Amino acid sequence: MTTIWRMDADDDDKPHEECGVFGIVGHDEAAAHTVLGLHALQHRGQEGAGVVTTDGEHFHSHRALGLVGDNFSSEDVIKTLPGFMAVGHNRYSTTGGDRLRNVQPLFGDFAFGGLALAHNGNLTNAISLRRRLVDRGCLFQSTSDTEVIIHLIARSRKPSVVDRLSDALLHVQGAYALVAMSNDMLIGMRDPLGVRPLVLGELDGATILASESCALDIMGATFIRDIEPGEMVIATRDQVESRRLFPKTPSRFCIFEYVYFARPDSVVEREGVYEVRKRIGAELAAEDLAPADIVIPVPDSGVPAAIGYAQAAGLPFELGLIRNHYVGRTFIEPSDQIRHFGVKLKHNANRATVAGKRVVLIDDSIVRGTTSTKIVTMVRQAGAAEVHMRIASPPTRHSCYYGVDTPERSQLLAAQHDVREMADMIGVDSLGFISLDGLYRAVGKRERHATDPQYCDACFSGDYPTPLEDADCGSTTSQLSLMLEDA
Ligand code: SF4
């Protein structure tokens, strides 16, 4: 029997980022630059992408399911997107949400004109707000939490678009890095805690907003600074203005951006991601050195931490696992009898490197543990004498409600088992995780202070920095998306 094997089945054992956002104002080729920016941010979402442009009078939009390169590389598409200003969005959709109607930027036609809105993050009171809005007669077009903001803007009685958006954001809770575009201005906004990243850049006099600095690098734009938590930036062709919508509070930036989500060549919150990941590896070696001959990364996200680990431990760094970068999303599997075929589509052990060696595998995280188990089996079958594993994040014991798709707690291996049990289940000779304090040292802080943690680390600590109004029923980001469909 022939089986269609979906690549997501393997990918599903990793947390997924939900979105990347990009905006530019004051450039004749706004659409083409937005497509470039989205291409650089593709790692933040692969299910769909959209671009909305304006010439100051009319809005133009193209949204599609799939990768940026597959849907926006044609000149014919770019020609349909004229204007001096554009916003774009990459989406990673949660279960049940990968429909075109949920692909952003969302667009609303208001009394003051049009507004396109792109959102990275997750609102933790979207269901409650949506129910209230539906009771008052609002008709929702999508199942996205972002649409709540559109309706709040529509209902605001404030006079200007900026005041209406500000008014709307006073009602929402959770994580948001927003890029919005009216007829004549580009607006960027981060939530009061700055959970998700947003940076400001400049190119030939044009102002740019993007999730990460790698989106500036691809077009030769200059990085200016991070948008501050609680800050709203309003840019026109002529000027950039900053407003503070919320009083300054200590930031709670997502620490997992450094471990896994952000691209290694990005600088986020003044720290280079690649260097942080190497320091995480060095901390890991200092805290829990494995009795190994060689250090092997689980590619690609484990590579910088493995380099840091190997340098600190004085051990050889070897590519003992090879990743196939040309794997599409679906495959015809020749036979159901072939076991572990799925994971071998993506990774294969380098037998000549690992045979007879005591290896330490470095990975970024363990979620369900299914992929780790398969990789360890593969390395053992390739002849490794011992297999140890060290993880560049603390045990993931809690779900994320801030825009990262993690399973519910019952499916998180570390929420159900201690490290010794996890080691037995994965099949390693030893297993170790970096401590939370070690992770804080690696990102440049002394240690974690319980009263002022400085980062969101809730998936490790359970210390959620905002109220979880919709989550009282125990729902994760992924489940919240499904519940929005019923709200
Ligand atoms: Fe990031 Fe974890 Fe906080 Fe989610 S819960 S924002 S993944 S640190």
Side-chain angles (χ1 to χ4, degrees):
M1 188 179 124
T2 303
T3 304
I4 304 289
W5 187 82
R6 281 196 33 100
M7 201 60 210
D8 324 40
D10 182 29
D11 281 348
D12 203 32
D13 196 30
K14 289 287 174 198
H16 295 278
E17 179 59 274
E18 298 256 336
C19 301
V21 295
F22 186 92
I24 183 168
V25 58
H27 204 292
D28 291 343
E29 293 185 281
H33 285 86
T34 301
V35 170
L36 273 179
L38 293 181
H39 179 69
L41 297 171
Q42 188 76 83
H43 60 290
R44 299 185 74 89
Q46 298 94 44
E47 292 292 338
V51 175
V52 179
T53 62
T54 186
D55 50 21
E57 198 175 338
H58 301 105
F59 288 82
H60 312 272
S61 161
H62 184 71
R63 298 182 299 151
L65 295 174
L67 299 176
V68 177
D70 293 342
N71 292 295
F72 288 88
S73 53
S74 138
E75 209 172 306
D76 292 343
V77 171
I78 300 297
K79 275 184 189 159
T80 66
L81 298 167
F84 65 94
M85 182 160 51
V87 290
H89 187 267
N90 278 335
R91 174 178 170 80
Y92 167 76
S93 72
T94 49
T95 311
D98 60 342
R99 302 172 195 139
L100 191 56
R101 66 185 170 129
N102 281 332
V103 174
Q104 298 187 21
L106 300 183
F107 182 78
D109 229 339
F110 301 93
F112 58 77
L115 187 83
L117 184 65
H119 171 205
N120 174 209
N122 192 65
L123 307 181
T124 53
N125 63 340
I127 295 171
S128 324
L129 286 172
R130 185 173 173 130
R131 284 187 180 135
R132 266 177 259 156
L133 288 162
V134 168
D135 282 348
R136 289 170 197 166
C138 292
L139 295 173
F140 279 76
Q141 307 287 319
S142 74
T143 59
S144 158
D145 58 335
T146 312
E147 196 181 345
V148 164
I149 301 174
I150 295 278
H151 285 281
L152 290 170
I153 292 169
R155 295 183 69 84
S156 171
R157 299 193 180 280
K158 299 287 182 186
S160 72
V161 55
V162 170
D163 290 341
R164 282 183 179 223
L165 176 59
S166 307
D167 194 28
L169 294 177
L170 295 177
H171 297 277
V172 304
Q173 296 167 0
Y176 52 86
L178 298 174
V179 175
M181 178 181 76
S182 70
N183 296 64
D184 57 359
M185 61 181 79
L186 179 71
I187 305 166
M189 178 76 214
R190 278 178 91 191
D191 67 68
L193 299 174
V195 176
R196 294 274 151 252
L198 190 64
V199 301
L200 182 67
E202 188 267 335
L203 176 71
D204 303 331
T207 299
I208 297 175
L209 294 163
S211 291
E212 292 180 35
S213 62
C214 64
L216 304 177
D217 295 340
I218 193 172
M219 60 194 73
T222 306
F223 169 83
I224 297 177
R225 64 178 175 86
D226 294 293
I227 305 299
E228 288 182 20
E231 181 188 11
M232 177 182 277
V233 167
I234 304 144
T236 63
R237 272 196 271 211
D238 308 314
Q239 61 174 28
V240 181
E241 181 194 335
S242 168
R243 290 189 188 181
R244 180 150 284 288
L245 195 53
F246 298 96
K248 214 166 187 166
T249 50
S251 161
R252 298 293 294 272
F253 181 64
C254 168
I255 204 165
F256 206 53
E257 290 272 355
Y258 288 118
V259 176
Y260 179 68
F261 296 129
R263 239 172 69 159
D265 52 337
S266 283
V267 176
V268 289
E269 298 286 298
R270 298 168 295 285
E271 296 287 343
V273 174
Y274 178 76
E275 290 302 323
V276 169
R277 287 186 189 162
K278 282 209 311 184
R279 293 203 295 266
I280 289 173
E283 283 286 341
L284 198 48
E287 287 186 349
D288 194 355
L289 192 63
D293 303 314
I294 55 173
V295 180
I296 293 176
V298 177
D300 291 325
S301 50
V303 171
I307 292 172
Y309 187 99
Q311 287 175 350
L315 292 171
F317 168 93
E318 300 284 2
L319 295 179
L321 284 165
I322 305 302
R323 179 174 173 181
N324 185 340
H325 288 95
Y326 306 100
V327 177
R329 296 203 68 80
T330 58
F331 277 90
I332 310 297
E333 192 168 336
S335 163
D336 276 351
Q337 291 154 7
I338 300 178
R339 286 175 164 262
H340 307 308
F341 185 74
V343 78
K344 282 190 175 174
L345 281 172
K346 193 167 170 187
H347 293 113
N348 192 27
N350 191 352
R351 184 174 290 274
T353 305
V354 305
K357 302 272 182 23
R358 298 175 303 162
V359 308
V360 54
L361 298 172
I362 309 292
D363 204 354
D364 52 77
S365 58
I366 293 178
V367 181
R368 293 183 175 88
T370 48
T371 302
S372 303
T373 308
K374 289 174 184 171
I375 284 175
V376 169
T377 304
M378 190 187 297
V379 173
R380 284 204 191 281
Q381 286 173 346
E386 291 178 21
V387 182
H388 304 269
M389 188 171 250
R390 295 294 180 268
I391 305 298
S393 59
T396 305
R397 296 198 171 100
H398 305 270
S399 302
C400 179
Y401 298 88
Y402 302 121
V404 173
D405 187 18
T406 45
E408 57 185 287
R409 283 201 79 196
S410 62
Q411 293 179 49
L412 295 173
L413 198 66
Q416 307 300 323
H417 301 278
D418 64 26
V419 175
R420 185 63 254 169
E421 290 168 341
M422 290 174 76
D424 290 343
M425 295 168 83
I426 291 168
V428 286
D429 294 286
S430 76
L431 175 66
F433 294 81
I434 193 169
S435 67
L436 206 46
D437 280 345
L439 182 55
Y440 271 70
R441 283 193 294 274
V443 296
K445 309 294 180 196
R446 268 198 320 242
E447 59 189 11
R448 186 181 195 272
H449 297 271
T451 52
D452 176 20
Q454 303 168 84
Y455 289 100
C456 176
D457 52 26
C459 46
F460 313 123
S461 66
D463 176 12
Y464 292 97
T466 72
L468 302 177
E469 194 174 322
D470 292 339
D472 289 342
C473 47
S475 51
T476 64
T477 291
S478 172
Q479 290 167 313
L480 289 174
S481 171
L482 283 174
M483 292 167 72
L484 275 166
E485 296 183 32
D486 301 328

